[in-house]
């Protein structure tokens, strides 16, 4: 399933979990792994000065510096590299999301792996230099699935038995479904199809009454069956559910309930009117809250 | 020694030569060698005799030493009002001295002149507006930079910058292929949000030929997408040239007039190939100054005009908003205190103050736009103009220079600063990083995109 | 002595002043180069003329430009001094009589009171300018002996003139000194910084053309430069 994997790392503990999954995947599928690191953001006009992400200092980047950072990364991931996976390390300067997408365009990976947030807004060098989050930009624009691993739980691929697929019945969700299905078949796991009925956002200020909610739940279940059931028949085991509430909360709860090892969702490749730009989309909220990796598909 | 390996009078013309100079981190060897660089006095004086005529000679002679230029210069003000920062003193003690001595100056003098020319003047031309005789010291510093560059006494980053223009016809190592590919990539990325978005390349006879700053390709390609989106939504018949797409000029900051000529000619060649009705540049001040205002003269064009009429981005945007080609949703206008940076190169030096204010009237809800004091053609340099932003050797002086703009912004009480100019945008970014006054800053394009009313036929299907 | 001063020396000084100034004025414009200056002077004569005119007249009005407005003291000093320097030599009754005797016509004349007022203002303002030169650090660093010399020889005709007018001491002596100092000024005009008498107009015209043609004048802006 995976021949080329791009691990976009900050080479700090925030990316450790993503790194572990990346090396694991590379080993399991004998895939090429490209470790990609944006070492700093350009600063001071047309000068060579870069604000280094780790030290927060302004440095003059030259070939020696790039080499030094590459060596640092080799040392950081030392124990993984010893096992001899096919690894290439690339280091560059720029705004992270943009450079990751640029690298992905050139490298054409089957999967991009991203670690967790690199710190809170005041501290992070990355955050200060770009509006919006790296994750949002990469998930929105990448041409391949993007997996975010932010928490240590279940960062071992291979021991997977439950995949949760969240749908909003959009065309993009259908694409995500195909991907989730392929994964489930490939790894022989159960696939749980879930829809979160949004009762808070749609009617701001006016809460639906219980009959309406239950009616909508029934409708959604019908839609799920109509859309997906025939494709699910080939799987060993599957389930379908609809819970009402705030979508990203419900998804996280459902994932906990089903002991999901992976959540697959659609990330829309265009901006939706309903998106609250502060919170980001549902996917992004799920990513930072879920107890397992989240894979977003946008094409 | 007459000339060093890194620091010498040769120009840098190829990517290899650029890389070689780049490899000297921070220019350490370069500046070391500069201490021993000989002055070619013959060349210096001959050049002055050929190029320094009535206007400048008279300026230097007629200066009444009245000191009225002092208060007009922001560097004088932020540097504790020391007399050595009076514009008249700065130019008389450098260019004035060279001419008095008929070029008979030494290495130490030239190194000091380099500091004055690049760290004590950003060529903002403000002093010229405050002198009773109309003596434009900024212009004279531009001339002095040319002399210093010719002699090899130029800051490291600018020697590289001029080299970049010579090697790539762009201010960074971005090739023509990089440009077109990146633009196409950006359009692809944003296509889902704006169906039908394209980037027409090399279309002849288009209404608009769009040229950019190479930085956008290298680090901020979203800017390219935003430009495409705005042209698209305004229904413009536009194109980009695959060659001659870069309109900036670090060579102008460096005083490398020959490279300036080469750079603007690459854009003029594109104009002559594609014959657009007009050229629109990106949001960059010195690019406009170089390509539209000064460029025709470097290229020997006697009427002072480029082959096709050329306007700054703010002129196009004001026109689009005023004529209704682009419509702003009144609900989405800016509703927080916001101020506007007046970039020297097209406000003071090209009179475009009305265009930017027209734009502000469309995008800011009434009562929220607070002008800086002073403003329009009397506003001060951002602190980073004339190449100041990028020169490591004079970083300390540049950070002090930012104080003027910082204080102006604080006085407005604004939370957002609109800076339609790459250099000003950079300077304000650095200002916030250094002094942390709690502001945000932005170009116009991203702001516009968030607040436009998008006609239905441009919206994606649900 | 008096005859020499009012005779040959007068004609020599006047001749040198007028011919010298005119020559330098013409040479200035001949030395402008559209390519070196980067201004398309001859391509847009109208825009150039408008710009030049605007540049000159704005600065001739007290507080007419931002430059004057932000520096009120030197503005008062400048205009106080220059009003006297221009009006008194040309329109003082005594000078009108002299002119009548030399060339057969004269311009209108100032009243005695106005003549006195302008002369005193010139002296006071001139002294203020001199003190300013020595006291303000931003001016002192620029000041050379040449500047002080120029200022002194410009004030000298007024001091000597007033001394003669009020008949302090030997009238004849001060009158001669007055005429001599006046002629020294005339001789100095083409060759020193006093050339700004005509070069002010030339230089301002150039900047006016520059802005009027290249730097905004043709964009319909109403900047004053």
């Amino acid at each position: 399933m995976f021949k080329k994997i791009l691990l976009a790392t900050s080479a700090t503990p925030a990316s450790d979990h993503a790194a572990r999954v990346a090396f694991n995947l590379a080993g399991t599928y004998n895939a090429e792994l490209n470790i990609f690191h944006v070492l700093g953001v350009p600063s001071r006009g047309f000068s060579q000065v870069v604000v280094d992400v780790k030290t927060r200092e302004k440095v003059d980047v030259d070939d020696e510096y790039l080499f030094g950072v590459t060596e640092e990364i080799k040392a950081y991931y030392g124990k993984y590299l010893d096992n001899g996976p096919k690894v290439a390390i690339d280091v560059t300067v720029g705004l992270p999301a943009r450079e990751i997408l640029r690298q992905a365009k050139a490298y054409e990976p089957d999967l991009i792996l991203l670690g967790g947030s690199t710190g809170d807004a005041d501290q992070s060098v990355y955050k200060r230099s770009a509006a919006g989050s790296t994750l949002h930009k990469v998930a929105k624009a990448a041409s391949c699935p993007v997996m975010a691993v932010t928490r240590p739980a279940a960062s071992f691929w291979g021991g997977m038995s439950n995949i949760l697929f969240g749908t909003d019945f959009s065309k993009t969700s259908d694409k995500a479904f195909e991907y989730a299905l392929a994964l489930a078949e490939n790894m022989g796991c159960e696939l749980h199809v879930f829809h979160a009925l949004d009762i808070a956002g749609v009617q701001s200020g006016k809460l639906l009454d219980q009959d309406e909610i239950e009616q909508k739940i029934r409708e959604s279940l019908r839609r799920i069956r109509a859309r997906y059931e025939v494709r699910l028949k080939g799987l060993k085991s599957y389930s379908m559910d609809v819970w009402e509430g705030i979508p990203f909360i419900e998804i996280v709860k459902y994932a906990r309930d089903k002991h999901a090892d992976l959540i697959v969702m659609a990330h829309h490749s265009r901006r939706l009117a309903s998106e609250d730009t502060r919170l980001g989309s549902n996917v992004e909220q799920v990513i930072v809250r879920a107890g397992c990796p989240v894979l977003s598909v946008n094409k | 020694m007459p000339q060093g390996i890194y620091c010498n009078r040769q120009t840098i013309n190829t990517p290899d030569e650029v890389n070689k100079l780049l490899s000297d981190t921070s220019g350490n060897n370069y500046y070391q060698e500069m201490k021993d660089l000989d002055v070619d006095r013959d060349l210096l004086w001959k050049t002055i005799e050929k190029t320094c005529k009535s206007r400048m000679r008279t300026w230097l002679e007629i200066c009444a030493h009245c000191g009225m230029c002092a208060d007009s210069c922001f560097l004088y003000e932020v540097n504790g009002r020391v007399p050595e920062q009076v514009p008249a003193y700065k130019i008389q003690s450098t260019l004035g001295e060279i001419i008095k001595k008929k070029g008979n100056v030494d290495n130490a003098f030239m190194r000091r002149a380099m500091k004055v020319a690049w760290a004590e003047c950003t060529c903002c031309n403000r002093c010229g507006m405050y002198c009773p005789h109309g003596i434009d010291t900024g212009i004279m510093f531009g001339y002095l930079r040319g002399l210093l560059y010719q002699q090899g006494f130029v800051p490291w980053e600018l020697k590289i910058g001029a080299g970049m223009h010579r090697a790539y016809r762009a201010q960074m190592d971005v090739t023509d292929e990089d440009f077109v590919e990146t633009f196409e990539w950006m359009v692809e990325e944003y296509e889902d949000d704006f169906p039908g978005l394209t980037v027409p390349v090399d279309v002849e006879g288009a209404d608009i030929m769009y040229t950019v700053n190479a930085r956008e390709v290298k680090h901020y390609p979203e800017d390219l997408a935003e430009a495409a989106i705005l042209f698209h939504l305004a229904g413009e018949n536009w194109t980009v040239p695959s060659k001659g797409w870069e309109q900036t000029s670090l060579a102008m900051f460096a005083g490398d007039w020959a490279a300036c000529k080469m750079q603007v000619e690459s854009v003029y060649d594109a104009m002559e190939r594609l014959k657009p009705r007009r050229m629109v540049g990106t949001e960059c001040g010195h690019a406009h100054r170089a390509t539209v205002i000064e460029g025709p003269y470097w290229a020997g064009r006697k009427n002072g005009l480029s082959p096709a009429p050329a306007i700054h981005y703010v002129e196009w945007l004001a026109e689009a908003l005023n004529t209704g080609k682009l419509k702003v949703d009144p609900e989405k206008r800016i509703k927080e205190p916001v101020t506007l940076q007046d970039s020297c190169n097209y406000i003071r030096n090209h009179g475009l103050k009305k265009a930017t204010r027209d734009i502000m009237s469309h995008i800011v809800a009434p009562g929220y736009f607070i002008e800086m004091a002073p403003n329009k053609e009397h506003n001060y340099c951002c602190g980073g103009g004339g190449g100041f932003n990028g020169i490591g050797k004079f970083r300390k002086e540049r950070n002090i220079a930012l104080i003027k703009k910082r204080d102006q912004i604080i006085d407005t009480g604004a939370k957002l600063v609109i800076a339609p100019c790459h250099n000003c945008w950079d300077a304000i970014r650095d200002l916030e990083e250094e002094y942390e006054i709690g502001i945000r800053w932005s170009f116009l394009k991203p702001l516009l995109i968030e607040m436009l009313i998008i006609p239905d036929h441009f919206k994606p299907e649900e | 002595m008096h005859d020499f001063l009012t005779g040959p020396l007068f004609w020599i000084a006047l001749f040198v002043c007028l011919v010298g100034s005119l020559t330098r004025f013409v040479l200035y414009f001949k030395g402008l180069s559209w390519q070196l200056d980067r201004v398309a002077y001859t391509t847009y004569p109208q825009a150039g003329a408008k710009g030049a005119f605007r540049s000159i007249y704005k600065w001739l009005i007290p507080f007419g430009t931002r430059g004057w407005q932000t520096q009120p003291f030197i503005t008062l000093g400048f205009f106080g001094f220059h009003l006297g320097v221009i009006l008194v030599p040309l329109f003082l009754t005594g000078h009108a009589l002299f002119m009548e005797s030399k060339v057969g016509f004269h311009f209108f004349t100032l009243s005695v009171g106005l003549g006195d007022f302008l002369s005193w203002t010139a002296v006071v303002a001139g002294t203020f300018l001199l003190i300013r030169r020595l006291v303000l650090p931003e001016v002192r660093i620029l000041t050379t002996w040449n500047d002080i010399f120029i200022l002194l020889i410009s004030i000298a005709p007024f001091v000597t003139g007033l001394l003669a007018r009020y008949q302090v001491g030997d009238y004849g002596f001060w009158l001669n000194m007055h005429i001599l100092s006046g002629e020294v000024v005339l001789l100095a005009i083409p060759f020193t910084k006093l050339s700004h008498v005509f070069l002010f107009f030339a230089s301002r015209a150039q900047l006016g053309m520059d802005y009027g043609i290249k730097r905004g004048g043709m964009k319909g802006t109403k900047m004053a430069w």
Side-chain angles (χ1 to χ4, degrees):
Chain A
M1 261 213 90
F2 304 111
K3 296 206 199 58
K4 288 199 281 189
I5 299 171
L6 178 64
L7 168 66
T9 173
S10 58
T12 63
S15 297
D16 279 353
H17 314 304
R20 203 168 349 171
V21 174
F23 283 104
N24 207 277
L25 269 174
T28 310
Y29 289 92
N30 201 23
E32 260 179 49
L33 178 61
N34 182 208
I35 301 180
F36 183 68
H37 175 65
V38 180
L39 74 85
V41 294
S43 181
R44 304 302 178 266
F46 51 86
S47 68
Q48 313 312 315
V49 169
V50 164
V51 181
D52 184 293
V53 295
K54 290 233 190 72
T55 63
R56 220 97 53 67
E57 273 163 25
K58 300 182 206 18
V59 294
D60 277 300
V61 170
D62 59 1
D63 287 337
E64 219 178 278
Y65 197 84
L66 290 171
F67 182 71
V69 174
T70 311
E71 291 301 297
E72 254 178 55
I73 293 178
K74 269 203 202 130
Y76 190 77
Y77 291 121
K79 61 180 188 348
Y80 292 120
L81 298 172
D82 289 340
N83 295 336
K86 294 177 278 201
V87 174
I89 302 181
D90 282 308
V91 175
T92 193
V93 163
L95 297 158
R98 181 47 54 203
E99 296 311 312
I100 294 169
L101 287 167
R102 206 193 297 263
Q103 182 76 354
K105 183 164 179 284
Y107 185 62
E108 293 180 326
D110 303 304
L111 181 69
I112 298 176
L113 271 148
L114 288 174
S117 158
T118 46
D120 77 353
D122 291 337
Q123 297 297 315
S124 168
V125 162
Y126 289 129
K127 290 277 159 58
R128 240 203 304 225
S129 57
S133 79
T134 303
L135 189 66
H136 170 82
K137 289 195 173 137
V138 174
K140 178 181 185 290
S143 352
C144 65
V146 176
M147 176 144 67
V149 188
T150 57
R151 312 198 39 215
S155 52
F156 278 101
W157 196 279
M160 249 185 237
S161 43
N162 286 289
I163 296 178
L164 190 166
F165 161 65
T167 178
D168 64 0
F169 301 122
S170 64
K171 285 212 193 77
T172 326
S173 272
D174 291 345
K175 301 236 172 66
F177 173 72
E178 294 299 324
Y179 199 81
L181 188 61
L183 277 179
E185 281 169 352
N186 186 284
M187 296 187 296
C189 356
E190 281 185 51
L191 181 59
H192 305 279
V193 178
F194 178 74
H195 173 70
L197 182 67
D198 191 349
I199 59 161
V202 174
Q203 317 272 22
S204 43
K206 176 172 174 264
L207 199 54
L208 295 172
D209 69 42
Q210 197 55 27
D211 282 341
E212 276 183 78
I213 292 178
E214 286 174 11
Q215 194 211 344
K216 283 195 183 298
I217 291 179
R218 282 192 294 273
E219 264 171 43
S220 303
L221 272 171
R222 269 199 294 275
R223 280 175 88 180
I224 291 183
R225 279 199 205 95
R227 227 169 163 103
Y228 304 117
E229 186 150 41
V230 88
R231 309 291 314 281
L232 292 166
K233 290 278 190 332
L235 283 179
K236 167 173 87 184
S237 157
Y238 63 88
S239 74
M240 294 176 288
D241 257 309
V242 176
W243 287 4
E244 71 279 18
I246 300 171
F248 58 84
I249 300 277
E250 296 308 310
I251 294 172
V252 172
K253 276 161 63 180
Y254 190 72
R256 202 161 60 225
D257 187 67
K258 292 289 179 197
H259 303 290
D261 304 302
L262 176 71
I263 300 175
V264 177
M265 287 175 71
H267 189 297
H268 293 280
S269 62
R270 56 182 177 88
R271 301 169 309 160
L272 300 174
S274 55
E275 253 175 57
D276 182 331
T277 45
R278 257 181 321 116
L279 291 182
S281 63
N282 279 317
V283 193
E284 286 154 36
Q285 279 301 306
V286 171
I287 285 170
V288 298
R289 293 168 191 276
C292 61
V294 178
L295 190 141
S296 79
V297 177
N298 66 12
K299 286 202 193 341
Chain B
M1 73 188 128
Q3 308 210 47
I5 307 172
Y6 296 106
C7 183
N8 51 50
R9 279 191 287 279
Q10 266 74 263
T11 56
I12 297 181
N13 297 302
T14 66
D16 279 338
E17 289 168 6
V18 172
N19 289 332
K20 171 155 158 248
L21 190 54
L22 264 173
S23 70
D24 176 23
T25 315
S26 310
N28 287 326
N29 290 317
Y30 177 85
Y31 287 120
Q32 196 57 31
E33 288 177 357
M34 195 186 276
K35 295 188 182 148
D36 296 315
L37 186 63
D38 286 342
V39 180
D40 185 342
R41 299 189 175 96
D42 266 343
L43 177 64
L44 183 57
W45 186 236
K46 277 209 180 63
T47 308
I48 290 175
E49 285 188 310
K50 262 201 315 188
T51 57
C52 186
K53 302 271 173 156
S54 250
R55 174 177 77 157
M56 236 173 267
R57 299 271 184 148
T58 307
W59 276 347
L60 288 167
E61 281 173 34
I62 202 185
C63 170
H65 297 165
C66 72
M68 277 179 74
C69 51
D71 279 331
S72 71
C73 176
F74 79 104
L75 286 166
Y76 171 80
E77 299 203 316
V78 295
N79 280 298
R81 303 174 72 89
V82 298
E84 286 78 8
Q85 285 276 359
V86 175
Y89 176 78
K90 288 189 276 203
I91 198 65
Q92 295 281 0
S93 65
T94 50
L95 184 60
E97 273 299 296
I98 295 178
I99 290 180
K100 273 206 203 105
K101 296 206 165 108
K102 296 206 190 323
N104 210 345
V105 292
D106 63 11
N107 173 289
F109 177 92
M110 294 296 259
R111 278 185 290 121
R112 180 183 166 264
M114 178 177 83
K115 173 154 196 233
V116 180
W118 274 287
E120 294 179 16
C121 180
T122 57
C123 303
C124 76
N125 303 109
R126 190 170 193 270
C127 47
M129 295 191 79
Y130 285 74
C131 170
H133 280 139
I135 298 171
D136 196 327
T137 306
I139 300 269
M140 285 198 272
F141 269 111
Y143 179 76
L144 177 64
R145 288 183 181 195
L147 296 176
L148 291 168
Y149 178 87
Q150 191 192 47
Q151 294 282 328
F153 292 93
V154 57
W156 178 66
E157 290 90 345
L158 284 173
K159 185 88 188 253
I160 293 172
M164 289 280 186
H165 282 289
R166 283 166 176 270
Y168 298 96
R169 292 294 179 275
Q171 68 162 235
M172 293 183 153
D173 51 342
V174 175
T175 64
D176 294 340
E177 288 76 36
D178 288 337
F179 168 67
V180 176
E181 262 173 38
T182 307
F183 217 134
E184 289 176 338
W185 173 36
M186 282 298 104
V187 163
E188 219 180 272
E189 208 173 274
Y190 283 78
E191 240 170 4
D192 288 333
D193 280 318
F194 297 97
L197 187 66
T198 60
V199 52
V201 179
D202 285 338
V203 170
E204 292 190 24
D207 282 338
I208 290 177
M209 181 180 96
Y210 181 61
T211 51
V212 303
N213 182 324
R215 269 160 59 107
E216 293 164 19
V217 179
K218 193 141 193 199
H219 292 306
Y220 309 102
E222 293 77 24
D223 199 296
L224 301 174
E226 288 158 4
I229 292 168
L230 287 170
F231 285 140
H232 173 72
L233 292 176
E236 293 284 5
N237 169 5
W238 69 289
T239 185
V240 294
S242 60
K243 236 173 124 63
W245 49 271
E246 222 262 354
Q247 53 150 195
T248 75
S249 188
L250 293 183
M252 179 172 75
F253 294 155
D256 184 350
W257 310 126
C260 287
K261 178 176 197 282
M262 291 193 263
Q263 182 60 39
V264 300
E265 280 180 339
S266 75
V267 180
Y268 296 165
D269 285 345
M271 285 177 179
E272 281 172 343
R273 266 192 343 261
L274 301 181
K275 302 190 191 3
R277 208 161 55 80
R278 53 188 182 166
M279 179 194 98
V280 174
T282 183
E283 292 175 75
C284 187
H286 88 278
H288 184 76
R289 181 76 179 270
T291 307
V292 179
I293 304 174
E294 309 289 340
Y297 300 97
W298 291 323
R301 302 181 67 89
K302 190 156 188 207
N303 66 0
L305 293 176
S306 47
I311 59 175
H312 188 273
Y313 197 78
V314 297
E315 295 182 85
W316 174 78
L317 191 54
E319 175 198 277
L321 288 167
N322 287 339
T323 56
K325 273 199 244 186
L326 290 174
K327 288 197 186 40
V328 169
D329 180 347
E331 293 304 304
K332 296 195 181 153
R333 288 180 298 183
I334 297 172
K335 292 198 184 71
E336 57 174 338
V338 56
T339 188
L340 172 69
Q341 163 65 355
D342 293 302
S343 311
C344 309
N345 276 320
Y346 62 85
I347 300 289
R348 178 163 30 258
N349 285 294
H350 213 202
L352 298 182
K353 56 187 173 178
K354 183 170 183 295
T356 44
R357 279 151 183 85
D358 279 355
I359 297 171
M360 293 299 274
S361 73
H362 284 279
I363 68 174
V364 181
Y368 287 100
F369 173 32
I370 306 158
E371 291 263 17
M372 290 189 195
N375 52 58
K376 305 192 184 81
E377 67 267 25
H378 294 284
N379 210 333
Y380 289 106
C381 171
C382 57
F388 217 359
N389 268 334
I391 302 173
K393 196 179 203 317
F394 304 135
R395 186 69 22 77
K396 197 166 59 104
E397 289 82 356
R398 197 289 306 250
N399 287 345
I400 294 174
L402 294 174
I403 289 176
K404 189 71 189 175
K405 192 52 61 179
R406 177 201 76 180
D407 289 347
Q408 276 189 289
I409 295 174
I410 291 176
D411 285 342
T412 62
K415 291 273 151 280
L416 174 66
V417 182
I418 293 182
C421 163
H422 274 274
N423 251 329
C424 299
W425 188 95
D426 265 0
I428 295 171
R429 188 241 352 251
D430 290 350
L431 181 171
E432 173 59 25
E433 219 172 275
E434 283 291 319
Y435 300 108
E436 295 182 3
I437 58 176
I439 52 162
R440 291 166 5 251
W441 62 99
S442 180
F443 289 109
L444 284 168
K445 295 189 198 85
L447 295 174
L448 256 302
I449 290 189
E450 291 302 314
M451 58 174 76
L452 285 178
I453 298 176
I454 300 180
D456 283 335
H457 57 277
F458 283 127
K459 288 198 187 138
E461 287 164 27
E462 287 302 317
Chain C
M1 178 69 176
H2 183 85
D3 290 334
F4 174 66
L5 288 174
T6 53
L9 190 56
F10 168 74
W11 290 116
I12 292 171
L14 193 61
F15 178 77
V16 166
C17 180
L18 288 175
V19 170
S21 304
L22 191 61
T23 313
R24 277 198 73 181
F25 192 73
V26 169
L27 283 178
Y28 174 87
F29 283 102
K30 284 190 76 167
L32 291 180
S33 151
W34 71 267
Q35 185 141 38
L36 289 175
D37 300 343
R38 297 201 297 270
V39 180
Y41 296 119
T42 49
T43 316
Y44 307 99
Q46 246 191 339
K50 261 201 337 216
F53 178 65
R54 187 191 190 91
S55 189
I56 293 170
Y57 93 80
K58 281 257 172 203
W59 280 90
L60 287 179
I61 303 173
F63 301 102
T65 62
R66 196 58 183 268
W68 288 138
Q69 289 158 14
T70 50
Q71 305 239 36
F73 288 114
I74 191 175
T75 305
L76 289 172
F78 172 90
F79 280 98
F81 184 69
H82 281 82
L83 268 176
V85 156
I86 295 168
L87 295 177
V88 171
L90 290 174
F91 306 121
L92 193 70
T93 311
H95 297 159
L97 289 173
F98 179 73
M99 208 174 143
E100 181 79 44
S101 74
K102 284 293 183 190
V103 294
F105 69 90
H106 66 271
F107 303 120
F108 71 86
T109 56
L110 303 167
S111 69
V112 172
L114 192 52
D116 283 343
F117 173 72
L118 286 171
S119 304
W120 276 109
T121 310
V123 173
V124 168
T127 312
F128 162 76
L129 290 175
L130 185 59
I131 294 173
R132 180 182 176 275
R133 244 188 210 302
L134 303 171
V135 163
L136 291 182
E138 69 264 26
V139 191
R140 200 167 56 229
I141 196 176
L142 297 168
T143 298
T144 60
W145 284 115
N146 189 22
D147 297 317
I148 299 188
F149 171 71
I150 295 286
L151 197 43
L152 288 175
I153 66 169
S154 309
I155 302 180
F158 286 90
V159 171
T160 49
L162 283 168
L163 284 171
R165 180 250 184 278
Y166 289 111
Q167 299 178 332
V168 175
D170 179 355
Y171 172 79
F173 172 74
W174 287 118
L175 184 62
N176 280 344
M177 284 301 105
H178 173 71
I179 299 172
L180 179 61
S181 59
E183 283 160 7
V184 164
V185 170
L186 283 176
L187 285 167
I189 284 175
F191 305 110
T192 64
K193 282 201 202 265
L194 284 178
S195 55
H196 74 265
V197 162
F198 53 93
L199 285 181
F200 163 86
F201 298 92
S203 178
R204 282 239 69 91
Q206 192 280 328
L207 195 78
M209 285 192 280
D210 181 331
Y211 271 96
I213 293 169
K214 180 174 94 166
R215 291 200 259 171
M218 292 174 69
K219 291 277 177 183
T221 178
K222 292 233 181 316
M223 282 158 52
W225 41 68

